[in-house]
Every structure is written in structure tokens, then in C-alpha cells.
Amino acid sequence: MSDKAKRFNLKELKRLFVLGIRDKKLFITVIVIAVLLSALSSIRPLITGDAVDTYILHKNGGLLLQIGLILAGILLLEVIFQYFFILLSNIIAQTVIEKLRVDLFNKIINYKLSFFDRTPNGTIVTRSVSDIETISQVFTDGILVVLGDVLRIVFILITMFYTNWKLALVVIVILPLMTVITGLFQKSIKRTFSEERTQTAIFNSFVQERLSGMKIIQLFNREEAEYKRFKKINENLRNAYLATVFYFSLLFPVVELVSSLALGLVIILGGVSAVYYKDVMPGEIIAFIMFIPMLVRPIRQMAERFNNLQRGLVSAERVFKMMDLDDTIPNKGMVEKQEVKGEIEFKEVVFEYIEGEEILKGVSFKANPGETIAIVGATGAGKSTIINLLSRFYDIKSGTISIDGTNIKDYELSNLRSHIAVVLQDVFLFNDTILNNITLRDPSITYEEVVSAAKEIDIHQFIEQLPNAYHYKVSERGGTLSVGQRQLISFLRAYIYNPDILVLDEATSSIDTNSEALIQKATEKITKNRTSIIIAHRLATIQNADKIIVMDSGKIIEIGKHKELLAKDGYYAHLYNAQFVK
């Protein structure tokens, strides 16, 4: 393993260790139990060998029962200590995992939208679920267990030298060989684990995207093609796991061979010494026959532990890498207002999603408090970008955006967004009740307030007609409701939060006539007496706007009222005639 890899592993290990020892009493208890386990396990061969030499060879059976009871008591204590060792180790592991899950989720929900633009959902799910769960193995089958194995090796070596130093030296010869074998194993397994996690993330991303886009796959008859792609990705994942299996399949027979070699040397050399030199007792040989498996087992298991430890560290690398990203919107603003009047001003705003590719090119406009501003233009003109910038989902390259004369960067971020509600074209509903989708489980919003708001914008009757009304549970993304129904719920969700600024992004596209009529009524009511920005393809819905902004290729090319823009016979008039003049 390279020095860089070692430094990295130590870094991640240290971070996990710091999390693990937050409850110092619990951690120290586990270590004490590990010490006691190691001491007890090394005593058993010593007592067994002494029993052979003292009682069996001399045919003194009077105390054999007592020795047997002592060994039984030691075994019982080992079982008890082993139980608490496993239990407490898992408590530490799950406490760390709980902390990591919370910290990672807290980071993710505060990342910029650009993070989600470039990061597949499957990758985020892998990091948040399976990678974090894998990290638990660092404690349950890693750090603490390896510590116990090391202690056991130390105690066994001490006891072996105490029993017979000559035989102990014979056994010691195998340790360098075992170290070389496990070192080669560790170097190879690090690479295979990294590939394993990479292929897992690719697999999860593929499956999640295809499940979300199943309708498209079936509409375009791509089942066979996607099936073949899945088989290939699944094959790559299988090969990544098999690479790990290969190294373990090679390791264990080699370790057993070395163990048998040591056992044979002890029996031969010990037997010769016992017969010819009388400096080795039969009981000592029997003790060493017990010592060798006890010594080799933790050494071999340390290689097995390294499997889980290395897998956990690879997962920790990926999780910590995501947690350490500096990908949040800077929140240095100090301005917090209970309410805003709703004056919005863009001054020479330049923005780019990708460096060097400007989406907005010096956009300037102003919306006065209470005005309804409509933004129209071809797809890709930059209309939706404007609302993303207003809520600071992205930060601009240059220029300024202000609300009530204050730069939006000077507002505390959550306070800024609390004044703005957005109704999107693609409405997202959670797999929950309609009531919870409207309130988003905000305890300050009561059921009565939701019903009252629904009646005010004339959608109460629609909700009452659903099974269980406001307690009707919609499927994931609202699949059990029509597009228009989902849109009506999103209008109510925006209205119930009583925003000072309302943004409607293509809110009336792709809906049926009945839903459009309800949405038009809802739009009139929720935009009344508040600054509203409406982005629309259907120009019939914005003819009464106080100001219409016409965009093309990231620039504002026309501004005015509906009739004024028609009179200019420019770009807006061309759009209008294309929709209404047959």
C-alpha cells in the first residue's frame, strides 16, 4: 500500500475513532472487556497443560474435577464477556452511524442545486445508506475487534514464553511470514474494495433512474436494450465482488498451511526434546498445540477484519468526501425581516451554470410591490433561471439582485426564502397525505387553516371528492393524481405559507381544461396584493399582467403591457400570433 493510501486510511480512521469515543466510559468498558477476554483465553491452555503434567501423568485424579470446574468457569466468563463485547461494540457502531446519517443529511439538504445537477441520485443514496451502513463494520468488525485480536496475540505470546521459551521461539518464526502474507493481502484488497463501491454506486444510479423513467422505457420500446445494459452493469458489480473473494480464497489456505507448519514443528521438536533432553513436558506440548490455533486464528481473523475495516474505510472516504464539500450557498447575510413589500430589482445580472457559458447576459428589470410580472420567451431563454436566482438556489456571476432595496446576499438565507413561494411546472408530491404535502408537516399550520385556505382559492371541493379527502395518501411523486390535481395542491401549498412574493413557473402548462379553469381562479386570488412573477408559455394567462418581460437567448428584448407589445409588432407579437392567429 502506498504512503499516500496509508496516510489517507489513518486520517479516515482517526475521524471515525473520534466519533467512536464520544462516550468515553462506554469505549473504555469495551477495551477493559477485550483485555479480560484476552487474558482468560490465554490461561486455558496453561491450565490444561499443567493438569496433564501434574495430575494425569501422576495419576492424581483427585483434583481433576476441580480443574475441570475451573476451566468451565473460565469458559463461562469468556461467553459472558464476549456477549457484552459484541453488544457494546454494536452500540458504539450504531451511535456513530446515527451521527453520520444526521450530519450527512444535514449537509445534503443545504447544498446548492448545482450539486444535485451534477450528482446522480443513485450516488447520493449509496453514500447516505449503504456506504454509511458499511462504516459500522469499522467498529463491529474492525477497530475494536482488531484491538481485541492484538491483545489476545500479546497475552498468548507472553503465556507461551512463560510456559516454555524454546517452543515459543519455534512458533515465533511463523509471525514474520504471517505479517508478509497479510501485508500483501491488504495491498490488493484496498484496490478491490474501492472498485466494489464504485460499481455499487453505478448500479444504484442505473436502477433508480430506470425505475423513475420506466414509462419512457416502455413508451419507446427500450426494454430489451435497458435489460442488456443492466446485465452488463450487474456483471461488472459481480466481477468487483469476485475480485475480493479471490484474494480471500487465496489467503485462508495459505494461512492454514503456515499454521500446520508451525504445529508440526512444535510436535517434532517438542517431542525430541521431551524424549532425549527431558526439558519439555507432555503437558507443555499439549498447551502449545492449543496455543498455535489460538495465535493463528486472530492473525488470520485480522486479515478477515481488514476486509470489513478496509471496506468501511473506503466507504468512509466517500462519505467524508461528500460531507467535506464546500458546496453550500454562502449564508453570511444578517438581514432578517418579518415581511417584505415585494420590490424586486435585477441590475445587469450575469449568470452561468457552466463557467464560460452565460445563461443570463446583463438582465435588468424592476417589479414594484404588488405588481404581477410575466416573463415569456422560447425554451432556454433563461426564464426559469431568474426564479432560481431570486431564491438564491444559485449565486450570480455579476450584477445585483435586491428585494426592497436590500441585496439578497445580505438577507439571512432561510429568512430570504421564507418570503418567496414557488409553484413549479413539475410538481413534486411526497408519498404522504394531501394534508402533509400541503403543510410539509409544519406543526404551526392547522388542519382548519388548510381547509379555510382551500375554500378561499376554490379547490376545497376538489379535495373533498378524493377518498379520505385531505387525508388521502398519494403515491410517490403524486402518481395517483392527474397533472392538474397536483398543480392545484401545489397552489394551495404556496398559498398556505402566505408569501410576500409568489413565483409561478409554467404553472398552467400540460393540464386539462377543467383544471386550468380552477388554476386561473386560484392564480387570480393568490397573486392579489402580492408581488408575483409568472413564467408562462400560454400567453392567454398573462394578458392582464402589469408588465410582460420578453426574453431571448439570455437577454431582455422587450418590456411592456400586453397591448403595448402587440402594437410594437415585435417578438412578443410573433409569439402571440403563433398561438392565436390561425
Side-chain angles (χ1 to χ4, degrees):
M1 189 181 298
S2 66
D3 290 340
K4 181 179 180 181
K6 287 181 181 178
R7 287 196 300 271
F8 168 76
N9 281 341
L10 288 174
K11 176 185 174 184
E12 306 307 319
L13 196 59
K14 181 179 178 181
R15 290 181 69 170
L16 292 174
F17 188 78
V18 169
L19 289 173
I21 62 172
R22 288 190 304 160
D23 188 339
K24 292 183 179 179
K25 290 183 179 179
L26 181 60
F27 198 84
I28 291 172
T29 300
V30 173
I31 293 175
V32 170
I33 292 174
V35 171
L36 292 173
L37 267 174
S38 302
L40 286 171
S41 61
S42 62
I43 289 174
R44 280 191 292 111
L46 189 64
I47 295 176
T48 302
D50 186 60
V52 170
D53 292 334
T54 304
Y55 306 112
I56 296 179
L57 289 181
H58 294 87
K59 300 180 180 181
N60 182 2
L63 295 176
L64 276 178
L65 178 60
Q66 183 178 344
I67 294 296
L69 292 174
I70 291 173
L71 288 172
I74 291 174
L75 284 170
L76 180 60
L77 285 174
E78 284 190 67
V79 170
I80 294 172
F81 286 141
Q82 190 68 37
Y83 165 76
F84 282 106
F85 181 80
I86 294 172
L87 176 64
L88 299 180
S89 296
N90 277 275
I91 290 175
I92 291 174
Q94 292 306 316
T95 302
V96 171
I97 295 309
E98 179 188 26
K99 171 70 174 171
L100 283 176
R101 284 197 191 105
V102 171
D103 289 350
L104 179 59
F105 186 77
N106 187 47
K107 291 282 289 189
I108 289 173
I109 60 176
N110 287 289
Y111 280 149
K112 302 176 185 175
L113 288 185
S114 57
F115 168 82
F116 301 97
D117 294 340
R118 66 175 184 271
T119 308
N121 283 342
T123 298
I124 299 174
V125 170
T126 300
R127 300 293 174 268
S128 305
V129 181
S130 61
D131 275 340
I132 284 187
E133 191 59 39
T134 302
I135 292 173
S136 68
Q137 297 176 354
V138 172
F139 293 95
T140 58
D141 212 16
I143 297 175
L144 295 173
V145 179
V146 168
L147 176 62
D149 288 341
V150 170
L151 288 171
R152 187 166 299 181
I153 291 170
V154 170
F155 273 91
I156 290 172
L157 288 173
I158 292 172
T159 310
M160 285 170 60
F161 274 95
Y162 172 79
T163 304
N164 189 301
W165 65 271
K166 291 181 180 180
L167 293 181
L169 288 177
V170 173
V171 177
I172 285 290
V173 173
I174 71 169
L175 292 183
L177 185 57
M178 294 288 288
T179 302
V180 171
I181 293 171
T182 54
L184 292 173
F185 169 78
Q186 291 170 3
K187 183 177 181 180
S188 301
I189 208 70
K190 164 72 161 101
R191 182 175 61 256
T192 61
F193 282 149
S194 181
E195 179 64 17
E196 178 188 307
R197 301 316 300 169
T198 298
Q199 292 301 326
T200 299
I202 293 172
F203 179 86
N204 288 345
S205 296
F206 182 89
V207 171
Q208 185 165 2
E209 285 185 349
R210 270 59 192 178
L211 290 176
S212 299
M214 189 59 67
K215 187 174 182 180
I216 298 298
I217 292 173
Q218 294 182 356
L219 279 173
F220 289 90
N221 197 29
R222 300 300 297 166
E223 294 94 337
E224 184 65 23
E226 293 300 324
Y227 170 71
K228 289 179 179 178
R229 288 190 64 191
F230 177 82
K231 284 186 67 177
K232 181 61 179 176
I233 292 172
N234 195 38
E235 181 183 346
N236 292 338
L237 180 60
R238 181 202 64 182
N239 291 339
Y241 275 99
L242 286 179
T244 303
V245 173
F246 168 78
Y247 287 111
F248 278 99
S249 301
L250 187 63
L251 172 70
F252 295 151
V254 173
V255 170
E256 288 299 326
L257 179 63
V258 174
S259 174
S260 299
L261 177 63
L263 190 60
L265 287 173
V266 165
I267 292 173
I268 293 171
L269 297 177
V272 170
S273 296
V275 173
Y276 293 103
Y277 300 102
K278 310 296 182 182
D279 57 351
V280 174
M281 298 295 293
E284 292 175 343
I285 296 176
I286 291 175
F288 270 82
I289 291 174
M290 295 178 66
F291 276 135
I292 290 173
M294 292 176 66
L295 179 65
V296 173
R297 189 182 304 115
I299 294 176
R300 187 193 67 184
Q301 286 178 338
M302 284 176 68
E304 292 183 60
R305 311 298 185 201
F306 190 82
N307 170 11
N308 297 321
L309 181 60
Q310 193 63 60
R311 183 181 279 120
L313 290 176
V314 169
S315 295
E317 171 193 5
R318 297 170 185 272
V319 171
F320 286 138
K321 185 177 180 180
M322 185 171 283
M323 290 179 65
D324 293 340
L325 285 175
D326 185 18
D327 218 359
T328 56
I329 294 290
N331 188 15
K332 299 179 180 178
M334 303 295 290
V335 176
E336 295 190 39
K337 297 183 178 181
Q338 289 293 109
E339 60 182 41
V340 296
K341 296 178 181 178
E343 180 186 273
I344 302 170
E345 186 170 12
F346 278 57
K347 288 184 180 179
E348 295 297 323
V349 172
V350 176
F351 173 74
E352 54 191 22
Y353 290 105
I354 302 173
E355 188 174 352
E357 300 180 15
E358 292 184 353
I359 302 299
L360 297 185
K361 307 169 183 178
V363 169
S364 298
F365 69 89
K366 185 175 182 179
N368 295 316
E371 280 189 337
T372 296
I373 305 296
I375 304 177
V376 300
T379 301
K383 306 184 299 296
S384 295
T385 299
I386 287 177
I387 64 173
N388 285 331
L389 298 181
L390 182 63
S391 298
R392 280 199 76 196
F393 293 125
Y394 303 86
D395 271 340
I396 61 178
K397 181 180 180 181
S398 62
T400 59
I401 303 174
S402 61
I403 294 179
D404 287 2
T406 301
N407 192 315
I408 59 172
K409 291 184 178 180
D410 295 330
Y411 283 91
E412 195 278 326
L413 191 57
S414 60
N415 181 261
L416 168 70
R417 292 175 180 171
S418 70
H419 299 298
I420 305 170
V422 180
V423 178
L424 298 171
Q425 175 186 0
D426 184 18
V427 178
F428 187 94
L429 297 180
F430 294 96
N431 183 20
D432 206 338
T433 64
I434 285 181
L435 178 65
N436 288 335
N437 269 289
I438 292 169
T439 65
L440 298 177
R441 293 185 176 271
D442 185 340
S444 66
I445 303 174
T446 66
Y447 172 80
E448 290 73 22
E449 289 174 333
V450 172
V451 173
S452 177
K455 290 178 178 178
E456 288 177 21
I457 61 175
D458 294 332
I459 66 172
H460 172 70
Q461 185 176 0
F462 139 66
I463 297 176
E464 281 291 306
Q465 291 173 348
L466 295 171
N468 297 322
Y470 289 87
H471 299 289
Y472 174 67
K473 190 170 184 178
V474 301
S475 63
E476 185 177 0
R477 300 186 67 87
T480 52
L481 300 175
S482 70
V483 174
Q485 290 173 326
R486 294 199 297 269
Q487 200 66 266
L488 289 168
I489 291 172
S490 71
F491 267 76
L492 181 54
R493 180 162 61 191
Y495 184 61
I496 198 70
Y497 277 86
N498 192 29
D500 300 307
I501 298 170
L502 178 68
V503 179
L504 307 180
D505 184 7
E506 306 286 4
T508 57
S509 63
S510 304
I511 58 175
D512 57 86
T513 304
N514 291 333
S515 295
E516 182 176 5
L518 286 172
I519 288 175
Q520 286 288 13
K521 291 182 180 179
T523 300
E524 292 174 6
K525 291 188 177 182
I526 68 176
T527 58
K528 187 176 182 180
N529 299 324
R530 59 166 54 90
T531 304
S532 304
I533 298 177
I534 302 175
I535 297 173
H537 278 138
R538 296 188 182 187
L539 301 187
T541 63
I542 52 136
Q543 292 181 16
N544 295 324
D546 297 301
K547 191 182 298 179
I548 299 174
I549 298 173
V550 185
M551 296 189 67
D552 184 40
S553 301
K555 296 180 179 179
I556 294 178
I557 56 175
E558 293 177 345
I559 296 181
K561 290 180 176 291
H562 172 69
K563 291 182 179 180
E564 296 172 351
L565 294 175
L566 287 180
K568 287 183 179 180
D569 197 26
Y571 190 86
Y572 178 81
H574 171 74
L575 292 175
Y576 183 82
N577 291 331
Q579 287 189 23
F580 296 102
V581 178
K582 303 296 183 181

